[in-house]
Amino acid sequence: MAQQALRGIGRLAGVGAAGVFTVSQCIYNVDGGERAVMFDQLRGGVLDKVVGEGTHFLIPVIQRPTIFDVRTKPREVPSVTGTKDLQMVNIKLRVLWRPIVEELPRIYRELGTDFDERVLPSIGNEVLKSIVAQYNAEELLSKRAEVSQRIKTEMMKRARTFHLEFDDVAITHLTFGREFMNAIEAKQVASQEAERQQWVVVRAEQERQAVVTRAEGEAEAASIITKAMEKTGNAIIEVRRIDAAKEIAGKLANSRNVVYLPNTGGGDGGSGANLLLGLDPK
């Protein structure tokens, strides 16, 4: 009796476990920011209906849901391409993308679940190569906003073909080859040298004008002195001599190493000259 009771309890436990396992396989959850696409073996494969967020029922074995993340995600697309003047440029795009929810069944049929890995690098390189090839290397720097806008427009247009939506496309990295960078550096050095030479020329011209102005002033002063001498004779020279003597006497009077010896008159009654003696302090 005890053995039969134990067998009955084991059968009930097995049935209960089987029931729990069956219920867990009959439902599935779609979280926030996600959508589901159902594959039905009896109804011709992928169904056209997109399943929204929440808990949903399915038929085990016959139906199989595939969950897609439909939130906006960033993706960096690098590319090395040539410009119009045959310069190599390394450029990177930052793309904010998301799938078009209504087109998820078509995306699953045509591209699979890894559609972003198949589509984004392909269209990114295609658009970058086609647009960058229309500009010179210098134009990529001076017209960066225009280039970025053209790339954004073309990327959004191409993405629609693959049922994707781009919220934003921007250039985040733009560098050129070593040869081009050396050429730019040499051009900057030459430009700075040309500006310095222009400054030297301007300075020389200013110095020349200063010399001319000084010479004209001296000539005008000499002309004035000549005219004054013609009118007054040597009087102006005597005035200049007196002024010079006053200046020299003032400097000697203030010097500590000069002794003044006045003339006291000789025994012969003649007049003598006054003496200024310079004493060496050594």
Side-chain angles (χ1 to χ4, degrees):
M1 294 293 294
Q3 291 181 353
Q4 292 180 353
L6 291 175
R7 290 175 182 174
I9 294 173
R11 291 173 183 175
L12 290 175
V15 171
V20 172
F21 181 75
T22 303
V23 171
S24 66
Q25 283 196 336
C26 291
I27 60 174
Y28 65 97
N29 293 321
V30 180
D31 296 331
E34 296 179 342
R35 297 294 186 272
V37 173
M38 183 65 70
F39 179 82
D40 193 320
Q41 295 184 2
L42 299 181
R43 298 169 61 184
V46 179
L47 303 181
D48 293 331
K49 180 181 178 181
V50 178
V51 182
E53 301 169 0
T55 301
H56 307 276
F57 292 96
L58 59 83
I59 302 174
V61 180
I62 296 177
Q63 293 181 330
R64 183 179 71 252
T66 300
I67 308 298
F68 288 90
D69 187 354
V70 296
R71 289 168 291 193
T72 300
K73 295 181 288 294
R75 176 65 182 264
E76 188 176 70
V77 181
S79 179
V80 178
T81 183
T83 62
K84 187 177 180 180
D85 54 351
L86 304 180
Q87 296 292 337
M88 297 305 297
V89 56
N90 185 2
I91 187 170
K92 291 182 180 179
L93 290 181
R94 192 259 301 145
V95 179
L96 296 179
W97 68 277
R98 54 188 171 85
I100 299 176
V101 175
E102 295 78 9
E103 300 295 337
L104 284 176
R106 293 190 60 185
I107 293 176
Y108 186 44
R109 291 192 195 98
E110 298 173 2
L111 301 173
T113 56
D114 58 343
F115 57 92
D116 55 329
E117 295 292 340
R118 299 185 181 188
V119 174
L120 295 180
S122 175
I123 64 175
N125 279 279
E126 177 187 353
V127 172
L128 285 173
K129 291 181 183 298
S130 63
I131 293 181
V132 170
Q134 302 176 25
Y135 293 88
N136 294 330
E138 294 183 357
E139 291 177 339
L140 290 178
L141 297 175
S142 61
K143 299 179 180 180
R144 180 164 178 165
E146 175 186 334
V147 175
S148 180
Q149 184 60 38
R150 288 192 58 186
I151 291 174
K152 179 179 180 180
T153 303
E154 189 64 25
M155 286 281 287
M156 289 183 173
K157 180 180 177 182
R158 295 284 293 126
R160 284 283 180 177
T161 307
F162 298 95
H163 321 299
L164 302 180
E165 188 77 26
F166 285 174
D167 294 333
D168 186 50
V169 179
I171 298 175
T172 59
H173 183 75
L174 182 63
T175 57
F176 296 92
R178 175 55 55 185
E179 295 79 7
F180 182 75
M181 299 303 296
N182 292 337
I184 290 180
E185 183 177 355
K187 183 177 180 180
Q188 291 177 345
V189 171
S191 177
Q192 292 175 357
E193 181 64 21
E195 292 179 357
R196 193 183 73 84
Q197 292 298 331
Q198 291 178 358
W199 178 81
V200 170
V201 171
V202 172
R203 180 181 178 183
E205 180 64 21
Q206 291 177 349
E207 291 178 351
R208 185 189 67 79
Q209 292 179 358
V211 171
V212 171
T213 302
R214 191 181 303 113
E216 290 177 351
E218 292 176 354
E220 186 177 356
S223 176
I224 293 174
I225 293 174
T226 301
K227 291 179 181 179
M229 290 180 63
E230 291 176 354
K231 291 181 180 180
T232 62
N234 295 331
I236 188 171
I237 297 178
E238 293 298 330
V239 172
R240 292 288 181 90
R241 185 179 299 166
I242 293 171
D243 292 338
K246 287 182 178 180
E247 183 179 356
I248 294 172
K251 291 181 178 179
L252 293 176
N254 294 327
S255 176
R256 296 180 180 180
N257 301 325
V258 176
V259 176
Y260 174 67
L261 298 177
N263 181 25
T264 57
D268 56 356
S271 61
N274 298 327
L275 297 177
L276 292 174
L277 299 179
L279 301 179
D280 191 353
K282 298 180 180 179

